[in-house]
Amino acid sequence: MLAPRGRLFGTNGVRFIPGVTGDVGFAIKLAESVGTYFADGELLTGRDGRLTGQMLFASVTAGLMSSGRNVAEAGIVPTPALQFATKALGYRGSVMITASHNPPEYNGVKVMGPDGVEVSRLDEQRIEKIFQEGTSRKADWKEVGSPRPEPNVIRAYINGILSKVNSKLISERRFKVAVDPGNGAQALAAPYLLEALGCKVVTINSIVDGSFPGRGPEPTPENLRDLVVAVRASHADLGVAYDGDGDRSIFCDEGGNLYWGDQSGSLIADYLLERNPNSTVVTPISSSQVIEAVAKRRGGKVLRTRVGSVDVSRTIIERKALMGFEENGGGFFPAHIPTRDGGMTTAMMLEVMAARAGAVSKLMATAFPRFYLTKTKVPVDPSKVREVMRNIERRADGKVEKVDGLKVWVDDKTWALIRASGTEPMVRVFVEAETKEKADATAKRFVKAVKAG
Ligand code: MG
């Protein structure tokens, strides 16, 4: 058996490269451990469109059945659709085979509880313990589980979203929307959701293909040129791109300008806080300061978390928050599900456009002051990271926040976030300032400080 070394569960489930850092034997053993952890009930399984997905789907199904669990197979679905359906269709839990936005050679396994939310860190440790100690249940021949198809996941997901937004108001506007699922799983849901919302839909990269030939599985303002072209050529009101498993969305206005998720998230927060004052919005420490300006104006509250979608989800649940968002395009609406969902975020964006009756560029320009973000990373030996951080903290003369890494306030409108990457030997440097020049210059200064150690 070829299995990843060290801890299995990272910030977002188990990730590995099939054939290189893990194999089908590993997937079966992991699934046996997951099935043992759940102990009873029927489990829902789904996958994104990766080339190794079918192989791992068969392995995970086999492992779950071996531990005695019955399995309902959803096939290729967006992660948020599987999460929503886990709860809506009453499953004991679910397993998603996905590596989200990672390069095509990766794949992974995410485990959700009956509420559709990723199981807690403690429960991940329980599964890991069963795996490491080899104590998974092997069902007797009369008790092994059996599979059946579950064809209703995407329908339930779309209906769930339609019931949580003002569908009538959106439909009346007959928006034109250009959609770029990036050959990922939202190709099977988002265009149909938009049609159900009365939109005229233009699609690119909308055939599910695990080699991600269009633009790769991660939507970033740098690789969405085709979406910009599609929006302009079709005179669309909005453009939207999703990551490989469809839980993140990046938007483009009618003029072809792209926005990071904390900009679109702050616009939706402004709209929702206006209707629900005194509510809480949750976002990681890395998001733009515009949300504080929005919350101040609307009388809301902002809670900052560590970087990572599970931290945002858990905080939303604990603090009964109104919504959450991430700078990478994650949007969380607990009235629907407390996990991030690209489809629900798109529907919310359309509701803002319909209710405020203006072009997206204008809504963005008037909702909050403009800030500029510069992102870069510096290779740093992991053994040196602590010393680098200590030195930066010692030299900082402004306020320093330590929610995740170091957030150094250079002045009251400029901050730098210095964080060790969780996945590579790098230190990330994010800087936000009122002008691009200032953001670039400040980033340069911190990169120099990181390099100096
Ligand atoms: Mg994703």
Side-chain angles (χ1 to χ4, degrees), residues 379-435:
V380 175
D381 190 302
S383 65
K384 301 259 166 63
V385 167
R386 280 180 72 161
E387 195 189 327
V388 167
M389 300 296 244
R390 216 177 304 134
N391 286 336
I392 289 176
E393 189 182 356
R394 198 163 41 81
R395 282 191 232 116
D397 42 12
K399 188 175 83 167
V400 178
E401 292 177 69
K402 298 207 288 192
V403 174
D404 193 356
L406 292 174
K407 188 170 188 175
V408 181
W409 286 86
V410 177
D411 56 47
D412 62 349
K413 296 272 172 63
T414 311
W415 55 260
L417 178 69
I418 325 292
R419 261 182 79 237
S421 163
T423 52
E424 43 187 4
M426 296 274 184
V427 166
R428 295 180 194 279
V429 178
F430 285 24
V431 175
E432 185 178 52
E434 278 185 299
T435 65

Side-chain angles (χ1 to χ4, degrees), residues 100-101 243 245 247-248 340:
S100 185
H101 60 280
D243 74 327
D245 66 330
D247 59 356
R248 284 164 45 186
R340 59 187 180 190

